[in-house]
Each structure stands twice: as structure tokens, then as C-alpha cells.
Amino acid sequence: MAGLTFKNIEKIYPGNVKAVDDFNLEIKDKEFIVLVGPSGCGKSTTLRMVAGLEEISNGELYIGEKLVNDIPPKNRDIAMVFQNYALYPHMTVYDNMAFGLKLRKTPKNEIDEKVKEAAQILGIENLLERKPKALSGGQRQRVALGRAIVRNPKVFLMDEPLSNLDAKLRVQTRTEISKLHKKLQTTFIYVTHDQTEAMTMGDRIVIMKDGIIQQADTPQNVYEHP
Ligand code: ADP
Ligand code: ADP
């Protein structure tokens, strides 16, 4: 479990592109934060800095009490789910979910327990022997979530995880991700450009524009005082 603190965070890409500018935010433990804003406003960059996939140019980022600027991704206790899922096509669902744990030399019985527990949470117990190509988009999305869940991350990062799903499935999966958040009791940071998604899912919505936070408030307050 962990909250996050962003102190004057900046990201300057080569060519002097300031993608994130003086970003200050405190995220509470177990909070569901939605980062929303138009394409190019710096959402992905912010998320990738939390994941450790992008270097922080200036400022300080804390996960819990720990300053993580120089901590590599694998030591940050975070898990990230991408829009393209990035499943290994040649592996079964089980092996896809087990892979990260195997790399960490987790004992086999523990891997088995964790994979089965995550599969149960996501309702994919009957798909464990299938390969990704034999799954629907929604099922692949669950496997991607499962791969993250088995690691018991303190912080769950999602970058437009629903954007490859059709409209109906998107609404359904939205509800499931909210339920998952309640069940896992971890901090979620969820990136989307979809206002409705933001308003229905977030405990708090952080609206970005041109790399700057414009507003950070509850859906209710954002609705009443846009
Ligand atoms: P969003 O996720 O909101 O669409 P991004 O974080 O992807 O926004 O991008 C923010 C800004 O940073 C954009 O102007 C984008 O063109 C720029 N940018 C993103 N990645 C890079 C990169 N690797 N090199 C240079 N500029 C980048
Ligand atoms: P973790 O996130 O726990 O490290 P992953 O299963 O996501 O576990 O990745 C394990 C390793 O495999 C990482 O070093 C990662 O860079 C690499 N990796 C992840 N996804 C892919 C992929 N689709 N193809 C090739 N390598 C990958």
C-alpha cells in the first residue's frame, strides 16, 4: 500500500519539449486517480515517470516515503497495464501471468496459488491453457490485468487500457476495473482522454493541459465547478 507525492516534477524531452511542467500532486493510499486531458498533454509521460520508464528531468517523486527518482522500475512495487496488452503470443495465459514471478524466482507452488487466485478474481479460470490468439479483446485485457495482479503491486498504473475495446465492452470493463480497485485495495492511476470514463471511475480527476495540471478534484466538484 502506498500513496504518491509529486514535487515540482518536470519532463523535458530532447529538443527542449517540456511535456510535463511543475506537476505537484499528493495521491492518497488506495485512491483511484484518473489523469485526463487531450492527446499530447503529458498523461503518458507522467505515468511512465511513475513506472520508471522515463527519467524525471526535475523534481522529486515519492512512492510511499521512498524517493524513487533513481530507483529502477523493477524495484518500485508498481505494475503497469498498457493499451496493447503486450502478452507473449507463444505462451499460454497461465504462463503469461506466471512469467514475471518466474523471473523473480518465486517458488512454483506460490506462483500457482497467485495465478489461480488472480484468474478467479478476473473470471478467467477456464482460459488458463489458451494462447492469446484464441482470446477475445476483453479476455486479453483480463490476462494483462492478471499479470499485474499476481505481483501484488502497491500502485497500479493503467494507460488507456480500454481504448482497443468496442463501446459495449468498454463500459463493461470500466465497471470491472472499479470493482477490481475496491477488491485489491491499492492505489490506481488511470490515464484516459475519455471524459466520461474519468467522471465515472475516479475518486479524483486530474485534468492536464499542455503539461500542466489545470484541476485536481472529485468528479462532483469538477462537474459543478469546471
Ligand atoms: P499524452 O499521453 O497526454 O497523449 P504524452 O505524454 O504522450 O501525452 O506526450 C506529451 C508531449 O511530449 C507531447 O508533446 C509529445 O509529442 C511529447 N513527447 C512524448 N514522448 C516524447 C519523446 N520520446 N520525445 C520527444 N517528445 C515526446
Ligand atoms: P515484470 O513486469 O514483472 O518485469 P514482465 O513479464 O512484464 O514482468 O516482463 C519481464 C521481462 O520481459 C522484462 O524485462 C520486460 O522488459 C520483458 N518483456 C516484457 N514484455 C515483453 C514482450 N512483449 N516481449 C519481449 N520482452 C518483454
Side-chain angles (χ1 to χ4, degrees):
M1 311 293 146
L4 291 95
T5 307
F6 297 76
K7 278 194 183 161
N8 313 107
I9 296 282
E10 284 187 357
K11 177 65 189 183
I12 302 162
Y13 284 114
N16 214 17
V17 180
K18 201 179 252 189
V20 176
D21 190 1
D22 198 24
F23 191 102
N24 287 283
L25 185 68
E26 293 225 12
I27 299 178
K28 291 192 273 296
D29 182 29
K30 303 186 182 70
E31 200 171 12
F32 195 135
I33 288 283
V34 180
L35 275 185
V36 67
S39 178
C41 72
K43 306 181 295 293
S44 285
T45 299
T46 303
L47 207 65
R48 290 170 59 81
M49 286 191 286
V50 177
L53 301 173
E54 206 68 73
E55 209 176 318
I56 295 167
S57 307
N58 290 303
E60 291 166 354
L61 175 66
Y62 295 85
I63 299 180
E65 304 288 301
K66 191 160 145 191
L67 180 67
V68 297
N69 288 49
D70 298 322
I71 307 281
K74 66 176 175 13
N75 297 335
R76 290 192 183 200
D77 281 338
I78 52 102
M80 182 148 168
V81 178
F82 301 89
Q83 58 177 263
N84 61 7
Y85 318 142
L87 301 179
Y88 299 100
H90 59 286
M91 287 185 197
T92 63
V93 166
Y94 185 99
D95 288 333
N96 263 286
M97 287 168 66
F99 187 73
L101 297 175
K102 276 187 191 159
L103 283 186
R104 287 173 177 73
K105 310 263 185 281
T106 309
K108 213 166 175 225
N109 58 337
E110 197 179 314
I111 293 179
D112 202 54
E113 205 173 288
K114 286 192 162 153
V115 169
K116 286 183 176 154
E117 189 190 333
Q120 199 204 344
I121 289 173
L122 296 162
I124 53 172
E125 305 104 305
N126 57 336
L127 304 177
L128 289 174
E129 296 314 315
R130 290 208 201 164
K131 299 237 172 110
K133 69 173 184 306
L135 300 174
S136 70
Q139 290 169 336
R140 280 179 206 166
Q141 181 55 258
R142 282 159 205 260
V143 178
L145 288 168
R147 244 193 353 186
I149 291 172
V150 295
R151 297 173 43 196
N152 296 328
K154 285 183 182 160
V155 183
F156 229 93
L157 308 176
M158 299 191 191
D159 194 353
E160 308 246 6
L162 310 185
S163 58
N164 287 334
L165 305 179
D166 66 42
K168 188 171 163 223
L169 200 54
R170 208 153 55 217
V171 172
Q172 194 180 322
T173 313
R174 204 195 275 168
T175 312
E176 282 172 13
I177 289 176
S178 295
K179 281 190 195 154
L180 187 64
H181 172 250
K182 288 200 180 70
K183 197 173 284 180
L184 295 178
Q185 297 277 307
T186 52
T187 310
F188 274 42
I189 309 178
Y190 185 103
V191 162
T192 182
H193 61 268
D194 183 322
Q195 301 255 3
T196 313
E197 227 168 86
M199 291 298 266
T200 51
M201 297 181 82
D203 292 327
R204 217 153 36 112
I205 303 175
V206 175
I207 303 172
M208 291 183 75
K209 194 185 171 198
D210 298 334
I212 293 170
I213 296 182
Q214 291 214 305
Q215 197 176 5
D217 215 332
T218 60
Q220 180 77 17
N221 286 345
V222 167
Y223 183 74
E224 287 171 3
H225 311 282

